Amino acid sequence: MTTVPVVYSLIQIAQKTRQAASKLGVLSTEDKNHAIEAIALALESARDDILQANLADCEAATTAGIAKPLYKRLQLDEHKLRDAIAGVLDVGKLDDPVGKVQIHREIDTGLILKRITCPLGVLGIIFEARPEAAIQIVSLAIKSGNGVILKGGKEALRSCEAIVKAIKQGLSHTTVNPDAVQLLTTREEILELLQLDKYVDLIIPRGSNSFVRFVQENTRIPVLGHADGICHLYVDKMADIAKAINITVDAKTQYPSGCNAIETLLVHSSIAAEFLPNVAAALQTENVELRGDERTLQILDNIAAATETDWKTEYSDLILSIKIVDSLEEAITHISEYGSRHTEAIITEDITTAETFQALVNAAGVYHNCSTRFADGFRYGFGAEVGISTQQMPPRGPVGLEGLITYKYQMTGDGHIVSSYTGANAKSFTHRDLK
C-alpha cells in the first residue's frame, strides 16, 4: 500500500516551525553544537546528491537562458560545498549568544533585574540563487536558537531540496526537532509568508533593491534588508601604485558576481596618467570590460564611455566603470550619491586622508588599503552570515549570530510593590550593578 504524503498549509508549516523553535530556544549549548555537527556530517554524506542536484539546476538554468552573474551564484562545486560545510563547523565553535547576562542590577534590596539574550524565534529568509546560503543560514539559526523558513531562488530548487533533506536527516538524530527547518518551493508562498506576522519574527530578503522594497511594502514583519552592492574603490593621490593595482584587480575579479565586488573605480587626477594605463592592462588581462568618464577616455582611448546609468549599476560581472576626481571630497560626494552603503574602500599611504574617508563615508564597511571582498561573515570570523545588511540601524554589514538574537528583562523580587517607592515616605532605589 502506497503512503500518501501529508500536505501542510503554510500556516501549519509556520506553526510547526514555531513549536520546534520554542524548544530549540531553551536547549543547552552542547545540544545545539551536537546538532550542528550532525548537520555537517549529514551534508558530507549527501555530498554527491547535492552536487548532482546542483548540476541539474545549472543545466536547467542554462537552457532557460540564465544571466551569467546569476549562474555564477547558482553553481555549487565541490570546493564551495566543502567551504560551506567547514563554515558549519566554525559556527559550532563560536560562543553561544543565548543566555548572556547583559545587565545584572539590584533595584533595591531583594529586587534584582537582569537583561538576558534570547532567540528572535522564527526567521523567514528569502534568498537568491546561491544554494550554499541555505547551509550558512541554518547553522546560524540553530546556534542562535531560532527556527527558520527558507525560500530559495527557483533556479536553485533542486539544490536547496537536497541540502534541506540532508539537514533534516542530520537533525533527526539530535534533540533539535527537524521541523525547526523548513523549505518553501513556490513563488506564491512568498506573499503568504509575508503575512504570517503571528509566527515569523524577522524577514531577511536577499536580492535586488526593488525586491527588498517589495518585501518591506508587503509585510508587517520586521525586515532586515540586503539589497544592491554598489561598491567603490578610491585610489588617492598618495596611493602606492603597485598596492592599488593588486587591490583593484582582486576587488573586481576575485568573484565579480559577489555583492562586495567593486563596480566603480575612483582615481585622483594627480596620479591618473600613471595609474590608469597600468591598472587597465592588469584588468584587461582578466577580461574586465572598462567604461570611463570623459577624462578617463583621454588617457584610455580604447575603452567605452561611461554614462550616468553606469554609476548606478551593480554589474555583478567583469565590467568596471572609472571616474577621475580632483579631491577626496569629490570622491566621497560621488560615493554618497551612488553608493549602496555596502562596502567602500580607499587606497592611500596618508593616514589622515584614510581616517577622514573612514569617518565621513556612510557604509556598513569602510576599508583602508584592502579589498572590498573581505566584507563577508566567514572572513570576519562569524562562521557564516545570513546576509549583509545595508540599513543604518544595527545589525549592519555581515549579519552573524549577534544579529539573530534579542533580549528580555527578567526581574525577581520578594513581595516588592511599586507603591513602596511613591508618596511622602517613598523608599529609594539602590540601582547597584552586581557582578
Side-chain angles (χ1 to χ4, degrees):
M1 181 177 177
T2 303
T3 303
V4 179
V6 178
V7 178
Y8 294 101
S9 70
L10 186 48
I11 288 180
Q12 290 173 316
I13 290 172
Q15 288 172 333
K16 287 157 63 74
T17 311
R18 169 68 77 184
Q19 291 166 0
S22 66
K23 296 176 181 177
L24 168 60
V26 295
L27 288 181
S28 68
T29 301
E30 291 72 23
D31 284 338
K32 289 188 289 186
N33 286 346
H34 178 246
I36 288 169
E37 291 172 7
I39 288 172
L41 287 172
L43 289 169
E44 186 66 48
S45 297
R47 176 187 294 267
D48 291 341
D49 291 341
I50 294 169
L51 293 177
Q52 285 298 316
N54 184 253
L55 185 61
D57 279 336
C58 289
E59 290 174 351
T62 300
T63 302
I66 190 173
K68 181 182 174 184
L70 201 58
Y71 183 84
K72 286 290 187 182
R73 292 177 181 177
L74 174 61
Q75 273 188 310
L76 180 62
D77 59 22
E78 191 170 338
H79 303 298
K80 272 190 183 179
L81 183 57
R82 178 201 62 203
D83 290 346
I85 294 172
V88 173
L89 295 172
D90 285 341
V91 169
K93 298 172 187 174
L94 297 174
D95 286 343
D96 192 339
V98 177
K100 302 293 186 186
V101 179
Q102 298 179 326
I103 294 175
H104 188 195
R105 182 170 297 158
E106 178 192 84
I107 303 302
D108 192 10
T109 303
L111 184 61
I112 306 299
L113 174 71
K114 290 182 181 180
R115 189 171 80 188
I116 300 180
T117 58
C118 59
L120 288 170
V122 175
L123 314 172
I125 317 287
I126 310 169
F127 56 100
E128 75 287 6
R130 288 179 57 206
E132 70 268 26
I135 297 173
Q136 297 178 349
I137 291 163
V138 169
S139 61
L140 289 170
I142 298 298
K143 184 74 179 207
S144 57
N146 291 292
V148 62
I149 301 175
L150 302 164
K151 173 63 182 77
K154 63 179 180 180
E155 301 86 358
L157 178 58
R158 299 175 186 84
S159 306
C160 289
E161 286 180 330
I163 287 169
V164 172
K165 178 182 178 182
I167 288 171
K168 283 178 168 285
Q169 285 176 339
L171 291 178
S172 67
H173 303 294
T174 74
T175 53
V176 176
N177 187 334
D179 285 343
V181 180
Q182 305 286 353
L183 176 68
L184 308 184
T185 58
T186 68
R187 180 180 293 272
E188 291 71 29
E189 289 171 311
I190 293 177
L191 265 178
E192 193 175 350
L193 174 66
L194 298 181
Q195 307 311 309
L196 298 180
D197 52 296
K198 183 176 179 181
Y199 305 106
V200 179
D201 300 282
L202 180 68
I203 295 286
I204 303 180
R206 296 174 50 158
S208 67
N209 262 328
S210 58
F211 176 66
V212 172
R213 281 196 300 271
F214 170 82
V215 169
Q216 291 169 332
E217 293 167 0
N218 285 277
T219 187
R220 293 189 296 271
I221 303 169
V223 176
L224 185 65
H226 168 199
D228 289 351
I230 301 178
C231 304
H232 300 77
L233 181 65
Y234 168 54
V235 181
D236 181 57
K237 63 183 179 182
M238 296 298 292
D240 178 302
I241 297 295
K243 191 181 295 182
I245 291 171
N246 286 336
I247 291 172
T248 301
V249 172
D250 183 87
K252 179 70 258 184
T253 69
Q254 196 274 330
Y255 187 58
S257 59
C259 58
N260 53 12
I262 59 169
E263 309 297 4
T264 298
L265 179 66
L266 302 173
V267 181
H268 195 284
S269 55
S270 67
I271 66 163
E274 178 186 1
F275 173 69
L276 285 176
N278 289 294
V279 77
L283 289 165
Q284 288 167 338
T285 298
E286 299 291 333
N287 300 312
V288 178
E289 175 190 335
L290 302 178
R291 301 175 185 179
D293 68 345
E294 289 184 11
R295 299 169 73 182
T296 299
L297 294 178
Q298 292 173 9
I299 300 172
L300 305 174
D301 56 7
N302 62 337
I303 69 171
T307 67
E308 176 72 12
T309 301
D310 286 297
W311 313 134
K312 303 175 182 177
T313 300
E314 181 182 14
Y315 302 116
S316 298
D317 202 353
L318 290 172
I319 304 171
L320 181 67
S321 58
I322 304 173
K323 181 179 182 179
I324 294 176
V325 296
D326 290 320
S327 65
L328 170 67
E329 292 73 24
E330 188 179 347
I332 293 173
T333 297
H334 181 95
I335 291 170
S336 297
E337 176 69 22
Y338 299 103
S340 60
R341 298 186 178 184
H342 191 298
T343 306
E344 311 290 356
I346 182 173
I347 311 300
T348 185
E349 298 305 304
D350 186 316
I351 298 300
T352 300
T353 298
E355 291 175 346
T356 300
F357 182 89
Q358 291 185 304
L360 296 181
V361 168
N362 183 7
V366 190
Y367 293 0
H368 174 213
N369 284 353
C370 56
S371 172
T372 55
R373 286 283 294 130
F374 282 108
D376 176 84
F378 177 76
R379 295 184 180 110
Y380 280 10
F382 297 169
E385 66 185 36
V386 294
I388 294 181
S389 172
T390 52
Q391 66 183 17
Q392 195 75 359
M393 293 292 290
R396 200 179 191 199
V399 179
L401 292 174
E402 84 292 337
L404 302 180
I405 58 168
T406 184
Y407 51 78
K408 63 177 67 173
Y409 290 94
Q410 297 180 354
M411 186 175 284
T412 301
D414 186 18
H416 292 76
I417 57 175
V418 170
S419 298
S420 304
Y421 302 89
T422 60
N425 298 313
K427 293 180 65 179
S428 297
F429 295 113
T430 59
H431 287 162
R432 182 170 62 94
D433 286 334
L434 305 173
K435 293 183 178 180

